[in-house]
Amino acid sequence: MTMNKKDGPVLAIVVPCYNEEEVLLESAAILNRFLQSMIDSAEVSADSYILLVDDGSKDRTWSEICALHREDLSFRGLKLAHNRGHQNALYAGLMEARSDCDLSISIDADLQDDVDSMAEMVRKAKEGANIVFGVRNDRTTDTVMKRTSAEYYYRILNALGVQTIPQHADFRLMDRSALDALSQYREVNLFLRGIATDIGLKTDRVFYSRKARTAGESKYSLKKMLLLAEDGVTSFSTAPLKLSFGFGAAADGAALLLLFRAMRDRKSQAGIMAWICFMQSLQFYLSGILGTYIGKTYTEVKDRPRYYIQERTGEK
């Protein structure tokens, strides 16, 4: 990591935003106080900034970003032409910051991740880490359903061969070399928490307690969480495609058992019919898995842009 030793590294705090007008001004004030304290203590350069990425919001999020920029140039804004999803918005911000920062830290606008932990992330980067993962060690502010689903989410991903950091979402530091490596990942179906572990540079971790959201609503509905999980599995593992072999072996064994029972007991026809229905549904399930991979391949080979930048603050 190359940086001006006198002024410290240039830090870019990248914040993806989607319909965040209820919480944005409060979050921006907290982030600005943190950044100024890091600048005052010479931990980071005075050229450090906060980059707010508007992911096609339908409320006044972009207007508030522009107002923040007019009041304080340490705020920068990037507006995507329409909603492209959290992962694409975050990627757009990181690629925007890549050209003029030494370190980047991504954090969600609701600030449920611990802002103060970013100081420790910077210190670990100075000690040589290229990527520092923010890992939640306390999720008591989440609902029971959210905690349970998150736990099984990471278990399933790791069981299918997707290397992820348990209890890590997208709160992480990446230095310039890590951002350069990230820029070489060209897939359209982004799963950044998987890519970050796949890069292979030196990593470290910072542990923190997750906070309650102060305002607004979570943008990750159950549907979006399931789609993100699907992207994680299909982007980094072919294990689901191999399920058919296991199911086929199990079906052969069950079919033999049913055959022996049918030869012994003529009243077992209902069980055989139930088994036939089950196998039919299983075929549809496996066809769905295959179709998902084919669909992902279809979107990748079209090579369409992930996003289109409509406007930057300071531009007409």
Side-chain angles (χ1 to χ4, degrees), residues 2-56:
T2 60
M3 63 184 72
N4 188 319
K5 294 183 179 180
K6 180 179 178 181
D7 295 332
V10 175
L11 171 64
I13 301 175
V14 179
V15 187
C17 307
Y18 179 65
N19 293 343
E20 298 288 1
E21 66 172 328
E22 294 183 38
V23 73
L24 184 58
L25 294 182
E26 180 181 351
S27 296
I30 294 171
L31 289 171
N32 195 33
R33 284 196 297 270
F34 168 81
L35 184 61
Q36 292 306 315
S37 69
M38 293 288 285
I39 292 173
D40 292 341
S41 62
E43 291 292 329
V44 299
S45 168
D47 294 327
S48 300
Y49 59 92
I50 301 165
L51 177 59
L52 304 168
V53 183
D54 180 13
D55 185 23

XYZ file of all heavy atoms in Angstrom, residues 2-56:
418
model
N 0.818 2.013 -1.050
C 1.593 3.245 -1.146
C 0.749 4.406 -0.686
O -0.419 4.529 -1.022
C 2.050 3.482 -2.598
O 0.903 3.593 -3.428
C 2.916 2.336 -3.084
N 1.376 5.299 0.128
C 0.637 6.433 0.641
C 1.611 7.512 1.070
O 2.814 7.280 1.221
C -0.238 6.029 1.828
C 0.539 5.541 3.022
S -0.480 4.968 4.391
C -1.079 3.436 3.709
N 1.114 8.696 1.260
C 1.889 9.795 1.776
C 2.051 9.590 3.280
O 1.098 9.704 4.037
C 1.178 11.134 1.494
C 2.043 12.328 1.852
O 2.731 12.334 2.869
N 1.994 13.332 0.998
N 3.260 9.287 3.726
C 3.466 8.967 5.130
C 3.198 10.170 6.031
O 2.835 10.017 7.193
C 4.893 8.444 5.335
C 5.152 7.101 4.655
C 6.548 6.603 4.943
C 6.789 5.250 4.279
N 8.153 4.751 4.543
N 3.389 11.350 5.519
C 3.175 12.555 6.328
C 1.698 12.777 6.589
O 1.299 13.076 7.716
C 3.772 13.771 5.604
C 3.604 15.070 6.380
C 4.228 16.221 5.629
C 4.016 17.527 6.398
N 4.593 18.684 5.674
N 0.884 12.649 5.576
C -0.541 12.943 5.704
C -1.378 11.720 6.039
O -2.540 11.846 6.407
C -1.063 13.565 4.403
C -0.421 14.915 4.131
O -0.029 15.580 5.104
O -0.310 15.282 2.957
N -0.820 10.539 5.923
C -1.602 9.333 6.133
C -2.301 8.927 4.849
O -2.313 9.662 3.853
N -2.932 7.755 4.856
C -3.600 7.268 3.645
C -4.880 8.041 3.353
O -5.558 8.521 4.259
C -3.912 5.812 3.992
C -4.045 5.824 5.492
C -3.053 6.826 5.989
N -5.211 8.143 2.079
C -6.500 8.711 1.676
C -7.559 7.632 1.851
O -7.490 6.573 1.232
C -6.462 9.197 0.215
C -7.851 9.678 -0.222
C -5.438 10.307 0.044
N -8.531 7.903 2.693
C -9.584 6.942 2.993
C -10.874 7.352 2.295
O -11.309 8.505 2.393
C -9.833 6.874 4.508
C -11.044 6.070 4.978
C -10.889 4.593 4.626
C -11.272 6.249 6.474
N -11.500 6.421 1.604
C -12.814 6.638 0.993
C -13.818 5.726 1.697
O -13.669 4.505 1.679
C -12.777 6.331 -0.499
N -14.816 6.331 2.333
C -15.895 5.561 2.960
C -17.035 5.470 1.951
O -17.625 6.489 1.585
C -16.369 6.231 4.260
C -15.202 6.358 5.248
C -17.508 5.420 4.883
C -15.555 7.111 6.516
N -17.314 4.285 1.468
C -18.284 4.077 0.395
C -19.596 3.579 0.997
O -19.631 2.551 1.679
C -17.752 3.063 -0.644
C -18.778 2.847 -1.749
C -16.426 3.561 -1.225
N -20.686 4.325 0.708
C -21.974 4.043 1.331
C -23.043 3.873 0.245
O -23.480 4.857 -0.356
C -22.401 5.176 2.282
C -23.661 4.780 3.051
C -21.274 5.543 3.237
N -23.476 2.643 -0.057
C -24.596 2.465 -0.996
C -25.906 2.894 -0.343
O -26.150 2.590 0.826
C -24.581 0.961 -1.291
C -23.899 0.342 -0.117
C -22.934 1.357 0.421
N -26.722 3.615 -1.099
C -27.970 4.171 -0.550
C -29.140 3.855 -1.479
O -29.045 4.070 -2.689
C -27.875 5.690 -0.403
S -26.452 6.283 0.530
N -30.220 3.387 -0.900
C -31.456 3.191 -1.663
C -32.635 3.590 -0.788
O -32.914 2.944 0.223
C -31.603 1.742 -2.124
C -32.888 1.484 -2.891
C -33.115 2.098 -4.123
C -33.870 0.651 -2.374
C -34.289 1.885 -4.816
C -35.051 0.433 -3.068
C -35.259 1.052 -4.292
O -36.428 0.852 -4.975
N -33.294 4.674 -1.159
C -34.435 5.208 -0.397
C -34.067 5.394 1.077
O -34.730 4.865 1.974
C -35.652 4.293 -0.532
C -36.210 4.263 -1.944
O -35.917 5.137 -2.761
N -37.015 3.268 -2.242
N -33.026 6.168 1.326
C -32.508 6.344 2.680
C -32.743 7.755 3.228
O -32.030 8.184 4.135
C -30.999 6.033 2.710
C -30.621 4.627 2.336
C -30.992 3.602 3.410
O -31.570 3.996 4.437
O -30.705 2.407 3.205
N -33.726 8.492 2.709
C -33.894 9.873 3.149
C -34.193 9.975 4.651
O -33.845 10.985 5.281
C -34.998 10.565 2.356
C -36.407 10.030 2.574
C -37.457 10.907 1.896
O -37.242 12.130 1.812
O -38.475 10.363 1.441
N -34.814 8.978 5.244
C -35.146 9.040 6.665
C -33.919 8.968 7.556
O -33.926 9.502 8.669
C -36.115 7.910 7.030
C -37.489 8.024 6.395
C -38.409 6.904 6.863
O -38.336 6.546 8.054
O -39.184 6.396 6.039
N -32.874 8.311 7.102
C -31.717 8.070 7.953
C -30.448 8.736 7.436
O -29.466 8.851 8.171
C -31.491 6.540 8.105
C -30.933 5.947 6.818
C -30.592 6.220 9.279
N -30.440 9.211 6.196
C -29.200 9.633 5.551
C -28.518 10.792 6.255
O -27.298 10.760 6.487
C -29.463 9.988 4.084
C -28.223 10.360 3.272
C -27.205 9.225 3.276
C -28.602 10.710 1.838
N -29.244 11.840 6.603
C -28.615 13.019 7.206
C -27.989 12.678 8.554
O -26.885 13.133 8.868
C -29.640 14.147 7.354
C -30.181 14.721 6.040
C -31.158 15.858 6.312
C -29.042 15.203 5.151
N -28.681 11.881 9.351
C -28.130 11.467 10.640
C -26.893 10.600 10.455
O -25.865 10.785 11.127
C -29.188 10.712 11.439
C -28.709 10.243 12.806
C -29.779 9.481 13.571
O -30.938 9.455 13.121
O -29.436 8.909 14.619
N -26.966 9.648 9.524
C -25.815 8.775 9.256
C -24.640 9.572 8.702
O -23.482 9.328 9.073
C -26.220 7.674 8.269
O -27.203 6.831 8.823
N -24.929 10.531 7.817
C -23.872 11.346 7.232
C -23.145 12.149 8.310
O -21.912 12.285 8.279
C -24.450 12.277 6.181
N -23.895 12.670 9.277
C -23.287 13.452 10.353
C -22.362 12.578 11.197
O -21.259 12.995 11.581
C -24.369 14.075 11.221
N -22.792 11.351 11.489
C -21.971 10.427 12.278
C -20.693 10.066 11.526
O -19.589 10.069 12.085
C -22.780 9.160 12.629
C -23.940 9.513 13.561
C -21.880 8.099 13.256
C -24.909 8.372 13.797
N -20.839 9.756 10.241
C -19.670 9.402 9.432
C -18.706 10.576 9.302
O -17.483 10.408 9.350
C -20.117 8.934 8.045
C -20.811 7.568 7.985
C -21.389 7.322 6.595
C -19.842 6.445 8.356
N -19.245 11.776 9.162
C -18.399 12.958 9.013
C -17.609 13.231 10.291
O -16.428 13.587 10.239
C -19.249 14.164 8.638
C -18.404 15.317 8.112
O -17.380 15.103 7.466
N -18.814 16.537 8.392
N -18.274 13.074 11.458
C -17.563 13.269 12.728
C -16.429 12.263 12.870
O -15.319 12.608 13.310
C -18.534 13.137 13.900
C -19.440 14.333 14.101
C -20.082 14.322 15.484
N -20.949 13.169 15.675
C -22.245 13.168 15.381
N -22.826 14.253 14.864
N -22.987 12.090 15.600
N -16.706 11.010 12.476
C -15.657 9.992 12.545
C -14.498 10.353 11.619
O -13.329 10.291 12.021
C -16.219 8.624 12.170
C -15.154 7.596 11.933
C -14.554 6.946 12.992
C -14.730 7.294 10.639
C -13.546 6.010 12.785
C -13.724 6.367 10.421
C -13.126 5.719 11.497
N -14.820 10.716 10.397
C -13.774 11.022 9.424
C -12.929 12.205 9.887
O -11.691 12.179 9.789
C -14.395 11.306 8.060
C -13.413 11.541 6.905
C -12.549 10.292 6.681
C -14.150 11.894 5.619
N -13.576 13.238 10.404
C -12.828 14.410 10.866
C -11.932 14.071 12.046
O -10.814 14.587 12.164
C -13.801 15.533 11.233
C -14.546 16.121 10.044
C -13.615 16.594 8.935
O -12.601 17.253 9.188
N -13.939 16.238 7.702
N -12.397 13.173 12.922
C -11.553 12.774 14.051
C -10.327 12.007 13.565
O -9.222 12.161 14.119
C -12.358 11.919 15.036
O -12.687 10.654 14.476
N -10.496 11.180 12.528
C -9.360 10.451 11.958
C -8.383 11.398 11.273
O -7.166 11.213 11.342
C -9.870 9.402 10.969
C -10.666 8.262 11.603
S -9.627 7.126 12.561
C -8.815 6.213 11.252
N -8.912 12.433 10.627
C -8.057 13.433 9.984
C -7.312 14.248 11.041
O -6.094 14.486 10.926
C -8.898 14.355 9.076
C -9.439 13.562 7.878
C -8.068 15.551 8.598
C -10.423 14.337 7.018
N -8.006 14.664 12.087
C -7.394 15.484 13.144
C -6.279 14.743 13.857
O -5.292 15.352 14.297
C -8.460 15.918 14.152
C -9.463 16.895 13.552
O -9.154 17.502 12.507
O -10.565 17.044 14.116
N -6.432 13.423 13.995
C -5.400 12.619 14.653
C -4.329 12.136 13.684
O -3.451 11.358 14.071
C -6.037 11.421 15.351
O -6.689 10.580 14.417
N -4.421 12.589 12.418
C -3.443 12.251 11.371
C -3.422 10.759 11.055
O -2.446 10.240 10.512
C -2.041 12.728 11.750
N -4.511 10.063 11.365
C -4.609 8.650 10.997
C -4.861 8.494 9.507
O -4.426 7.498 8.900
C -5.738 7.983 11.789
C -5.474 7.839 13.275
C -4.372 6.846 13.574
O -4.224 5.878 12.801
O -3.653 7.045 14.563
N -5.578 9.445 8.915
C -5.823 9.438 7.477
C -5.593 10.849 6.924
O -5.528 11.835 7.667
C -7.271 8.974 7.145
C -7.508 7.558 7.634
C -8.300 9.925 7.725
N -5.494 10.935 5.617
C -5.220 12.204 4.945
C -6.420 13.140 4.994
O -7.577 12.699 5.056
C -4.843 11.930 3.492
O -4.827 13.121 2.743
N -6.129 14.443 4.927
C -7.190 15.457 4.853
C -7.959 15.353 3.542
O -9.036 15.947 3.409
C -6.598 16.850 5.009
N -7.438 14.617 2.570
C -8.123 14.423 1.295
C -9.134 13.273 1.351
O -9.777 12.963 0.344
C -7.105 14.131 0.189
C -6.205 15.322 -0.093
O -6.680 16.468 0.039
O -5.021 15.104 -0.436
N -9.278 12.644 2.490
C -10.228 11.540 2.641
C -11.657 12.052 2.473
O -11.945 13.233 2.690
C -10.059 10.881 4.013
O -8.744 10.363 4.160
N -12.558 11.157 2.103
C -13.923 11.593 1.797
C -14.931 10.464 1.999
O -14.564 9.300 2.217
C -14.004 12.106 0.361
C -13.601 11.091 -0.694
C -14.539 10.261 -1.298
C -12.264 10.972 -1.096
C -14.173 9.344 -2.262
C -11.881 10.049 -2.062
C -12.832 9.234 -2.637
O -12.464 8.320 -3.592
N -16.198 10.850 1.939
C -17.322 9.919 2.050
C -18.048 9.896 0.709
O -18.499 10.947 0.243
C -18.282 10.349 3.169
C -17.546 10.398 4.518
C -19.488 9.403 3.245
C -18.308 11.151 5.592
N -18.142 8.739 0.087
C -18.796 8.605 -1.211
C -20.154 7.938 -1.029
O -20.242 6.769 -0.624
C -17.926 7.784 -2.166
C -18.510 7.485 -3.547
C -18.824 8.778 -4.293
C -17.557 6.614 -4.366
N -21.222 8.671 -1.312
C -22.589 8.184 -1.181
C -23.096 7.784 -2.558
O -23.131 8.605 -3.481
C -23.477 9.266 -0.571
C -23.006 9.816 0.786
C -23.779 11.076 1.151
C -23.151 8.763 1.873
N -23.487 6.522 -2.721
C -23.915 5.999 -4.018
C -25.428 5.799 -4.000
O -25.947 4.954 -3.270
C -23.218 4.666 -4.340
C -23.617 4.182 -5.732
C -21.704 4.798 -4.229
N -26.133 6.597 -4.798
C -27.592 6.490 -4.883
C -27.954 5.431 -5.911
O -27.739 5.602 -7.109
C -28.184 7.844 -5.277
C -29.705 7.800 -5.371
O -30.303 6.821 -4.895
O -30.289 8.731 -5.942
N -28.532 4.343 -5.422
C -28.882 3.210 -6.281
C -30.291 3.380 -6.856
O -31.171 2.556 -6.642
C -28.779 1.911 -5.479
C -29.011 0.671 -6.332
O -28.820 0.748 -7.563
O -29.390 -0.366 -5.760
N -30.506 4.480 -7.593
C -31.796 4.699 -8.232
C -32.936 4.902 -7.250
O -34.040 4.387 -7.467
